[in-house]
Amino acid sequence: MIWASLVKLLRKAGDRSVSATRIHETAIVAKGAQLGERVEIGPHAVIGENVSIGDDTVVGPNAVIEGWTTIGRNCRIGAGACLGGRAQDWRYKGEKTFLKVGDNNDIREYVTMHRGTAEGRGETVVGNNNMFMAYTHVAHDCIVGDGVTMVNCAQLAGHCIVEDFAVLSGLAGVHQFCRIGKMAMVGGLAKIVKDVPPFMLVDGNPAEIRGINVVGLRRHDVKPAVREQIRQAYRILCQSKLSISHAVERMAAELEKCPEIDHLIEFLQSSARGVMK
């Protein structure tokens, strides 16, 4: 009985040590910060008083997380990353705005993500399972979906939207208020000044549509029959010399209905900045 009780106590002690948060002695964590279980804070990192960090997230050395910022579970935040900083907007006067980051995000070295603005959405939102490679930037009031990849030095200006599973290659620059559609692929050094339609591959300065993102579609198990419909949509949009509105009408009349084509049509119809072709 004594031995059994001792084993239980040891197991409880072990459980507590496993679930403990580890903060390096040189890190600065404000009293109001909320840290989940098994969070690790590296050397010289700084965590502000209005920051919340979910379970199993690791914050690397010299990273700074400030403002009204929420980080989800199981994220990896690299050395020198700066999250939740003031919006780079002349109109921002220190209002209470937010950065919300979801779960399972890989945020590498020197990535920057800024809070929203009162004139905008009031928040910058990042979804789940994304990879932000070194030196990428997510500006104020942006929305980034799930499964997005931003390669080294890709940059989002304010108010941009990046839909699920899009890829922005290295040094790509996206103008404010632009949208990058679902499963789109943006080439390296591309200059994005209009909306990028879903499922398309774009490149150039300024960027143009070069075809459909076949690799991305296959990677996400889009069926061959649907890929063919997307290819037909590309031909109507880019090779028919029709206006966007007339291209949409033709797509709706000629293409088989499926979620992907429905999403593409809705994206084209809702564009405020204009769609690249």
Side-chain angles (χ1 to χ4, degrees), residues 79-149:
C82 294
L83 310 181
R86 293 166 55 88
Q88 294 180 143
D89 187 319
W90 284 110
R91 297 170 298 177
Y92 183 74
K93 304 300 180 184
E95 298 90 348
K96 183 178 179 180
T97 57
F98 302 90
L99 169 65
K100 298 178 181 178
V101 178
D103 302 332
N104 305 311
N105 289 293
D106 192 357
I107 300 171
R108 299 303 297 266
E109 299 82 5
Y110 302 102
V111 169
T112 51
M113 297 180 180
H114 292 164
R115 304 194 307 275
T117 61
E119 289 80 9
R121 297 185 177 93
E123 61 183 13
T124 301
V125 179
V126 174
N128 306 315
N129 306 305
N130 300 298
M131 177 178 283
F132 300 90
M133 298 187 193
Y135 296 97
T136 54
H137 176 61
V138 179
H140 61 87
D141 301 292
C142 285
I143 297 177
V144 178
D146 299 335
V148 169
T149 301

Side-chain angles (χ1 to χ4, degrees), residues 142-193:
C142 285
I143 297 177
V144 178
D146 299 335
V148 169
T149 301
M150 290 183 62
V151 181
N152 301 64
C153 298
Q155 310 284 298
L156 297 178
H159 308 276
C160 290
I161 296 175
V162 182
E163 295 185 343
D164 297 348
F165 308 117
V167 177
L168 280 72
S169 300
L171 295 163
V174 184
H175 194 281
Q176 57 262 42
F177 294 99
C178 284
R179 298 183 299 165
I180 310 297
K182 183 177 181 179
M183 295 187 209
M185 172 78 175
V186 176
L189 293 167
K191 178 182 178 181
I192 306 301
V193 296

Side-chain angles (χ1 to χ4, degrees), residues 15-22 34-41 52-58 71-76:
D15 290 341
R16 283 198 297 271
S17 65
V18 168
S19 65
T21 291
R22 293 191 290 177
Q34 299 180 14
L35 306 183
E37 295 186 346
R38 299 172 299 279
V39 168
E40 297 182 23
I41 308 296
S52 174
I53 300 178
D55 297 348
D56 301 299
T57 287
V58 177
I71 308 293
R73 298 167 57 96
N74 196 39
C75 293
R76 296 293 182 268

Side-chain angles (χ1 to χ4, degrees), residues 188-201:
L189 293 167
K191 178 182 178 181
I192 306 301
V193 296
K194 292 184 178 181
D195 291 350
V196 176
F199 318 118
M200 301 298 165
L201 188 155

